[in-house]
Amino acid sequence: GAGVSQSPSNKVTEKGKDVELRCDPISGHTALYWYRQSLGQGLEFLIYFQGNSAPDKSGLPSDRFSAERTGGSVSTLTIQRTQQEDSAVYLCASSPMGTGGAEAFFGQGTRLTVV
Amino acid sequence: AQSVTQPDIHITVSEGASLELRCNYSYGATPYLFWYVQSPGQGLQLLLKYFSGDTLVQGIKGFEAEFKRSQSSFNLRKPSVHWSDAAEYFCAVGAMAAGNKLTFGGGTRVLVKP
């Protein structure tokens, strides 16, 4: 079957605009993760979904960031009023049950550039 | 809270030589441990994982890793490196008790000399 799919692969946006990043996880995977990868910052955890609920949102850097997941499948990460420091690669991953019991499979990422 | 340390930011190795990447973790119980590889412009690919059982685990591309509880380590090794192994390698720990969050080390970038 298909792997984790993210769209768009690249996004250039103007400072102050809102952006939406999409993640299609592997079918049947109940756990979904968003990470951010910036130069010099490594891989930062943003949010974790189990089904449609998000038991851990501790990594969202500000209230400009939000995410939702519908139907236990597709997830959207929204960044409002983008800032230059939001420029990064945003990675989505899914897992059959969560990384306390199984590995996570990653998408190719969305490279966000805020100009 | 769980944490992962990869002490080496960069490693340069000659093609055909052996490679060892260090990983130390901090977690109160037995964690689930992973090594991922990221080639330039690519996502993360799982090399191997440790959940329980035999502490020496085999992965793809000829990699292996050994879990040493006494040293809180999960070092990655390859006996003979190929030029295609040039990439960034990430060690990670996941734990259900920690909310299933996957925590990554800072990564080690491997350069392979011909």
Side-chain angles (χ1 to χ4, degrees), chain B residues 50-105:
Chain B
Y50 172 77
F51 287 171
S52 65
D54 192 348
T55 56
L56 184 63
V57 293
Q58 303 296 320
I60 63 170
K61 304 185 180 188
F63 284 92
E64 66 177 26
E66 186 171 12
F67 170 59
K68 292 186 177 180
R69 184 190 305 275
S70 62
Q71 298 176 19
S72 298
S73 69
F74 189 56
N75 294 349
L76 181 72
R77 298 192 292 257
K78 184 167 184 177
S80 178
V81 168
H82 187 261
W83 63 267
S84 60
D85 293 322
E88 190 154 21
Y89 293 79
F90 293 93
C91 182
V93 58
M96 198 173 292
N100 273 319
K101 183 165 63 181
L102 192 61
T103 301
F104 286 88

Side-chain angles (χ1 to χ4, degrees), chain A residues 77-109:
Chain A
L77 177 69
T78 301
I79 309 173
Q80 295 179 310
R81 305 180 302 281
T82 51
Q83 304 295 313
Q84 289 187 329
E85 62 262 29
D86 300 333
S87 296
V89 176
Y90 289 82
L91 292 166
C92 175
S94 70
S95 178
M97 64 178 75
T99 58
E103 66 264 37
F105 296 84
F106 282 81
Q108 297 289 82

Side-chain angles (χ1 to χ4, degrees), chain A residues 56-71:
Chain A
D56 191 346
K57 307 178 185 180
S58 62
L60 295 177
S62 75
D63 59 8
R64 297 187 296 105
F65 287 72
S66 62
E68 66 174 11
R69 189 179 184 193
T70 55

Side-chain angles (χ1 to χ4, degrees), chain A residues 25 28-34 47-55 67-76 93-98, chain B residues 100:
Chain A
H29 281 193
T30 59
L32 186 146
Y33 304 82
W34 283 98
I47 188 169
Y48 155 61
F49 286 93
Q50 185 63 245
N52 290 337
S53 64
E68 66 174 11
R69 189 179 184 193
T70 55
S73 181
V74 172
S75 176
T76 303
S94 70
S95 178
M97 64 178 75
Chain B
N100 273 319

